[in-house]
Amino acid sequence: MTEVGQVIRFDHRKGYGFIDVLNKDSDNYGRELFFHYSQINCENSFKKVFPGEVVSFDVEKRKDNNNDKEVCVNIRGVHGSK
């Protein structure tokens, strides 16, 4: 399921940030999910998002210290926009 969320913070020097899930029908609604800059899909090679920006993304489970952790992947403009 594609999610819609709002970027809460993004540290471009460290290369990660957090997105607040806005889909009320989602199991992730209201959660802050981690993302890595490598998951930002854009036409420019300088990958960056800004606090307050609304984006679409997918959620994927990843192993982290023997725990399943949900993270944002395939981050892009809302509903595929640029």
Side-chain angles (χ1 to χ4, degrees):
M1 173 179 174
T2 298
E3 302 280 8
V4 174
Q6 185 172 30
V7 177
I8 297 170
R9 58 190 165 274
F10 176 63
D11 187 325
H12 69 277
R13 286 186 215 118
K14 294 181 181 177
Y16 68 86
F18 293 89
I19 296 175
D20 181 26
V21 180
L22 299 177
N23 291 5
K24 290 186 178 182
D25 297 334
S26 171
D27 293 339
N28 294 308
Y29 175 68
R31 292 181 63 200
E32 291 183 16
L33 299 177
F34 173 87
F35 72 93
H36 188 263
Y37 86 97
S38 64
Q39 294 300 321
I40 299 171
N41 292 330
C42 63
E43 294 176 354
N44 191 329
S45 62
F46 186 70
K47 298 178 178 188
K48 191 170 185 177
V49 291
F50 298 93
E53 186 174 0
V54 178
V55 294
S56 288
F57 58 95
D58 300 313
V59 176
E60 188 175 277
K61 286 189 179 182
R62 300 253 171 106
K63 288 281 187 195
D64 181 39
N65 296 330
N66 297 323
N67 295 319
D68 284 337
K69 179 180 176 182
E70 293 181 325
V71 298
C72 301
V73 296
N74 193 24
I75 301 166
R76 57 208 179 276
V78 176
H79 304 296
S81 65
K82 295 182 180 181

